[in-house]
Amino acid sequence: MKLKPFAIAALFLTLSSILSCSSLTADQTPENLTENFSTSTRTWDNDSEQAFQQRSLAIRQRVASEDLNSLDEWWRRVKLGDPHKYLLPVILARLSLPEQYDPETLWPFLRSLDKDRPDLYHFRAIHDIRLFFLFRDRLPPDLETTYRQMLDSPEVTQWMEQGTENHMFMQRGSGLALIDGSGWPNGAPGVAATNEAWLRAELNKFLTIGQGEFHSSTYYGYAIAGLLNIYDFAKTPELRQLAKATLDWLAANMAVRLSWGTAGGAESRGFDRGTWDNSELAAVAWVWWGDDPQTADRIPQKYAWVGVPAALSSYRPPREMTALAKKDVQLPFLLKASHPSYYSYHQDNQFWETFYITEDYSLSTLLIPFRSYQVQGTINAQYATYKLVIRDPKGVDNAVVSLGGTYHSPTAAGNSTGDQFLQEKGTVLYQLRLNERDIAAEVPTRSHLVIPTRYGEPQKHNNWYIWQVENVWLSVRVWGDTIDWKPQVSEKYSDYQVLAANGVNTAWITEVVSVNDAPNLEALTNRLDQTEVNDRLWTNLGQLSYKSVTGDRLELIYEPNGGIGKGTVNDRERVLGNWAVLDSPYLKQELSSGVLELIHPQGRWKLRTTLTAPQWEK
């Protein structure tokens, strides 16, 4: 592969920046940090590594360009509680570019942050601990003392703080890296043992029943940053093995659902609508598997800074995952997945996900078995339960469509009390029927299909609303007391239009058909005319049956007091209790197996948990 002059310059600048500013010890050089564990994976090939270094440089330059003085003035003016989250990524990125930024101009910011906000907290930890290890030999003595004091008692106990799942990965992972890698005395030795035990438990959970904060486009990047600190800076090989195994598991889950720059699939705590540029997960995925380095310029700062730890890390996802992440595999394929309760280590099969991807789109739905009226904390609003990602052939702006009730948001991005789905390939049946408790909780009597405004007003054919979106047709049939179309969801969400069904009982059928299968509107309507709808019992009993454009027969009978209706596909009742954690042609993990398996053209890659340590197999 012949590199262009820009690529050569970028690679040279990146490597020289990292190597010149790094203070890793002799046994922690970047070369040694990329060593493989067991038979985990071979290193990336030269072309892939060079492309990674170009993206690394681009995203660090993007973050470093932020005005530090303005940020410092801003957080003090608004009395922000977590200023490190905003300033440290810029400082870290600038320190990694010594040819462009003088380190001496950055130390005053660190001093003032520590003076005015001395607490050790998660959003500080992921960047602060990386900064310490990479630039340890350049730190002024007083700043080095600040880090040393983080291991004094009682400060050291802050590294065991509680929080959401990603909070603990940030806090406990970074603290474990500092304790193990610094070589300094630890004022409370039990902290390291406790955090290691927690990390082992989390890895075992992932490899047996899955993850509570599954595929979060908002928080994956933060959790990954904490694990990268252990991987890069811990001295104990066993700790680095634990970090690598957990990173590999997270990377595999990102790879299988990644939809051309959008975090496709169902997710807990997030709803990515962008193309590399609208979520923290996408920023990290771009660093690992992304496209042209110039894409970094359009990644907003609030997402780009989460990519900096990955850009400065020696961790690389196993190369066997690359084709899956880039969807250079045979399509279409189907993934079925089950997820546990949020914090539990034993409550498996609590949520069920269907993910279907073709060359033109990915479509996913999530089943939640209960009706919840909670409006604060880790709530239904933070689950993406219907996400359709339609590929932009130009690779710039994928279309993302949502469908559901509006209890939490008019964009139908989160689960609403009473949402019930049935999916088969590109076809979805959806119902929302409100009971007395729902109405008392003021659940809105409407459901929404939300689609980007740039695709204009839908066309009508009999009872179908039809949009052509890039290389697919999106066809929708809807039931309700009234049906409204609005060119904008609201002034706040002006980039999205809405088709709304109003009434206590609403229902939808959505069909996604490739233009390759229906090259024009007439061909599509001919196929729609061959479908069959039976809604005779829908009004009274919530029973809706449908024969799809692909000939599949779907029936959904609504459960009025629960979260999951009775679903039947081709006369086979939907049974959820035996679903695997991951089940697809390329990625598999049987429930309670402790084994993640990746099937790729060269063979099989496996990650296995044992009582003592993770193991990799080829």
Side-chain angles (χ1 to χ4, degrees):
M1 174 181 175
K2 185 176 181 181
L3 290 177
K4 297 179 181 179
F6 168 80
I8 296 173
L11 178 61
F12 175 79
L13 182 54
T14 302
L15 292 173
S16 63
S17 296
I18 294 176
L19 294 176
S20 66
C21 66
S22 174
S23 63
L24 297 174
T25 61
D27 61 342
Q28 287 183 311
T29 63
E31 292 78 7
N32 289 337
L33 284 177
T34 58
E35 68 178 301
N36 303 312
F37 294 108
S38 184
T39 54
S40 169
T41 181
R42 291 190 294 273
T43 55
W44 284 11
D45 59 59
N46 288 337
D47 288 349
S48 297
E49 183 61 28
Q50 289 170 357
F52 172 92
Q53 296 296 347
Q54 293 172 40
R55 294 191 298 273
S56 168
L57 174 62
I59 203 162
R60 289 183 290 121
Q61 288 178 325
R62 165 73 182 91
V63 173
S65 66
E66 192 79 0
D67 189 330
L68 260 179
N69 289 305
S70 296
L71 281 175
D72 192 54
E73 293 171 1
W74 164 71
W75 86 262
R76 296 176 189 281
R77 182 175 66 253
V78 301
K79 299 179 180 179
L80 197 69
D82 54 357
H84 296 82
K85 179 180 179 180
Y86 304 89
L87 274 72
L88 281 181
V90 182
I91 296 171
L92 179 60
R94 288 189 177 188
L95 286 171
S96 76
L97 301 168
E99 298 88 351
Q100 301 175 43
Y101 300 95
D102 181 2
E104 295 302 319
T105 65
L106 303 173
W107 309 134
F109 289 102
L110 289 180
R111 291 188 178 99
S112 64
L113 280 171
D114 189 63
K115 175 178 177 294
D116 299 325
R117 185 68 167 89
D119 292 358
L120 306 179
Y121 60 96
H122 38 270
F123 286 121
R124 171 183 181 176
I126 52 173
H127 291 102
D128 205 20
I129 298 309
R130 178 162 294 273
L131 188 156
F132 164 73
F133 279 108
L134 287 180
F135 307 101
R136 184 176 185 176
D137 63 351
R138 296 189 177 191
L139 287 173
D142 62 314
L143 288 176
E144 184 176 11
T145 298
T146 297
Y147 289 99
R148 184 183 291 268
Q149 291 171 342
M150 293 178 182
L151 299 187
D152 291 341
S153 184
E155 285 83 358
V156 66
T157 60
Q158 293 184 58
W159 294 117
M160 294 192 301
E161 286 183 350
Q162 302 293 312
T164 57
E165 184 183 275
N166 69 90
H167 287 177
M168 289 191 284
F169 274 112
M170 286 189 277
Q171 185 79 347
R172 297 183 175 193
S174 299
L176 195 55
L178 180 63
I179 292 168
D180 191 72
S182 66
W184 292 331
N186 175 5
V191 172
T194 300
N195 287 359
E196 178 182 345
W198 169 83
L199 180 57
R200 288 179 182 275
E202 288 297 291
L203 175 60
N204 288 337
K205 175 184 176 180
F206 290 1
L207 283 166
T208 51
I209 66 173
Q211 180 186 17
E213 207 164 72
F214 56 88
H215 201 237
S216 171
S217 62
T218 303
Y219 294 114
Y220 250 41
Y222 291 108
I224 286 169
L227 289 163
L228 292 175
N229 282 339
I230 303 174
Y231 179 85
D232 285 331
F233 307 121
K235 289 183 177 179
T236 303
E238 289 78 6
L239 291 180
R240 297 185 59 225
Q241 286 182 336
L242 290 173
K244 175 173 172 49
T246 312
L247 287 164
D248 285 355
W249 193 91
L250 295 172
N253 277 268
M254 291 168 63
V256 73
R257 297 174 177 87
L258 190 62
S259 302
W260 315 286
T262 303
E267 56 176 305
S268 167
R269 311 195 73 196
F271 196 98
D272 183 10
R273 293 183 183 272
T275 307
W276 300 123
D277 61 357
N278 195 48
S279 77
E280 290 84 350
L281 184 153
V284 175
W286 181 80
V287 171
W288 286 344
W289 302 301
D291 56 5
D292 192 306
Q294 294 180 352
T295 297
D297 294 337
R298 61 181 175 87
I299 300 177
Q301 187 80 349
K302 63 180 180 179
Y303 306 128
W305 66 47
V306 187
V308 170
L312 284 170
S313 175
S314 59
Y315 172 79
R316 306 288 182 269
R319 65 181 181 87
E320 292 87 349
M321 295 178 187
T322 301
L324 184 57
K326 294 186 175 182
K327 297 299 173 283
D328 292 334
V329 295
Q330 185 174 345
L331 299 173
F333 73 79
L334 173 69
L335 167 74
K336 289 189 174 182
S338 68
H339 307 287
S341 179
Y342 187 86
Y343 282 113
S344 175
Y345 291 85
H346 59 86
Q347 290 180 294
D348 56 8
N349 272 34
Q350 298 293 302
F351 302 88
W352 295 270
E353 172 188 4
T354 301
F355 173 78
Y356 181 70
I357 186 165
T358 75
E359 293 182 353
D360 299 309
Y361 70 91
S362 72
L363 175 63
S364 59
T365 53
L366 181 71
L367 306 180
I368 298 177
F370 49 79
R371 300 169 95 91
S372 173
Y373 308 93
Q374 184 180 350
V375 294
Q376 293 181 334
T378 305
I379 55 175
N380 282 353
Q382 298 175 327
Y383 290 109
T385 51
Y386 178 108
K387 184 187 288 186
L388 170 62
V389 180
I390 301 172
R391 182 181 190 179
D392 175 9
K394 298 178 181 178
V396 176
D397 196 5
N398 299 327
V400 179
V401 179
S402 55
L403 168 66
T406 61
Y407 188 42
H408 299 286
S409 167
T411 64
N415 176 252
S416 183
T417 299
D419 288 350
Q420 297 182 17
F421 297 92
L422 176 66
Q423 178 182 352
E424 177 65 17
K425 300 171 186 166
T427 306
V428 171
L429 270 59
Y430 164 81
Q431 292 195 54
L432 174 62
R433 300 172 68 88
L434 302 182
N435 60 32
E436 292 182 0
R437 187 181 178 193
D438 300 333
I439 294 171
E442 300 183 346
V443 177
T445 57
R446 62 178 178 271
S447 52
H448 283 181
L449 181 94
V450 179
I451 182 173
T453 57
R454 62 183 182 271
Y455 297 105
E457 186 173 354
Q459 303 178 71
K460 285 291 298 292
H461 173 70
N462 297 332
N463 293 318
W464 291 94
Y465 295 83
I466 301 169
W467 286 270
Q468 182 173 356
V469 183
E470 306 305 337
N471 289 330
V472 307
W473 299 99
L474 172 60
S475 305
V476 176
R477 187 158 175 169
V478 57
W479 287 258
D481 294 341
T482 60
I483 312 300
D484 301 323
W485 174 79
K486 295 194 299 183
Q488 292 183 345
V489 174
S490 64
E491 184 176 346
K492 179 179 178 181
Y493 300 108
S494 60
D495 291 339
Y496 292 90
Q497 59 183 313
V498 60
L499 186 65
N502 302 287
V504 174
N505 299 330
T506 61
W508 300 72
I509 297 172
T510 66
E511 282 275 24
V512 188
V513 178
S514 171
V515 169
N516 291 332
D517 297 324
N520 52 50
L521 184 61
E522 182 181 4
L524 174 69
T525 56
N526 286 338
R527 297 193 66 178
L528 292 174
D529 289 343
Q530 296 173 32
T531 64
E532 299 173 6
V533 175
N534 184 344
D535 61 355
R536 292 192 301 272
L537 301 178
W538 177 74
T539 300
N540 294 327
L541 300 177
Q543 180 174 337
L544 184 63
S545 302
Y546 175 64
K547 178 185 175 183
S548 72
V549 294
T550 57
D552 295 302
R553 293 186 177 275
L554 292 79
E555 181 178 85
L556 177 61
I557 302 176
Y558 195 82
E559 168 50 57
N561 297 309
I564 300 177
K566 180 181 178 181
T568 303
V569 177
N570 296 326
D571 299 322
R572 297 183 62 180
E573 185 175 346
R574 176 174 61 188
V575 178
L576 302 172
N578 61 354
W579 280 30
V581 176
L582 297 161
D583 184 14
S584 76
Y586 303 107
L587 196 65
K588 294 180 181 293
Q589 182 182 318
E590 292 298 324
L591 193 65
S592 301
S593 67
V595 179
L596 174 69
E597 182 176 21
L598 177 70
I599 297 93
H600 58 94
Q602 287 73 43
R604 294 173 183 257
W605 173 99
K606 290 184 180 181
L607 169 61
R608 182 187 305 275
T609 184
T610 73
L611 290 175
T612 54
Q615 296 176 350
W616 289 263
E617 302 173 10
K618 290 268 190 176

